[in-house]
Amino acid sequence: INLLRTLISMASNLKALPQERTISMSLVYNDSAPENYQPKYFREPKAEEDLHFDTKPVVFKIGAVNTKYHAMVLKVKTVVEIL
């Protein structure tokens, strides 16, 4: 719940999104995952889809969730000025 609150709080302080915007998600598996495993609705990224920034982006670690079987880390990388 803290992760969501932090994300909402951070997003509410950002200026309006630019017309061109992108979201990128990365999945990382532990050693027990089968080789070449690709979950439904996900695919390997193409080289031209790699995110490039004209200026150095700022990275915010919003939070993390760890369970017995899963882990998730949420980071936001942006060049949009805060406040």
Side-chain angles (χ1 to χ4, degrees):
I1 295 209
N2 285 336
L3 184 139
L4 291 176
R5 285 183 183 150
T6 303
L7 180 60
I8 291 167
S9 176
M10 192 206 93
S12 67
N13 289 314
L14 293 173
K15 293 181 180 179
L17 290 173
Q19 284 297 109
E20 185 178 330
R21 53 195 177 263
T22 304
I23 186 170
S24 175
M25 296 172 55
S26 298
L27 296 175
V28 181
Y29 309 103
N30 63 25
D31 294 336
S32 67
E35 189 174 336
N36 298 323
Y37 174 69
Q38 199 63 36
K40 190 175 181 178
Y41 306 115
F42 285 84
R43 63 175 172 73
E44 289 291 323
K46 298 174 186 164
E48 65 270 11
E49 295 173 328
D50 194 20
L51 293 179
H52 299 283
F53 293 90
D54 293 334
T55 59
K56 185 176 178 180
V58 178
V59 179
F60 298 95
K61 183 176 178 185
I62 303 301
V65 176
N66 293 298
T67 71
K68 184 176 179 181
Y69 300 104
H70 304 90
M72 183 194 83
V73 175
L74 178 60
K75 295 178 184 177
V76 174
K77 185 186 288 189
T78 183
V79 292
V80 177
E81 294 180 25
I82 305 266
L83 301 173

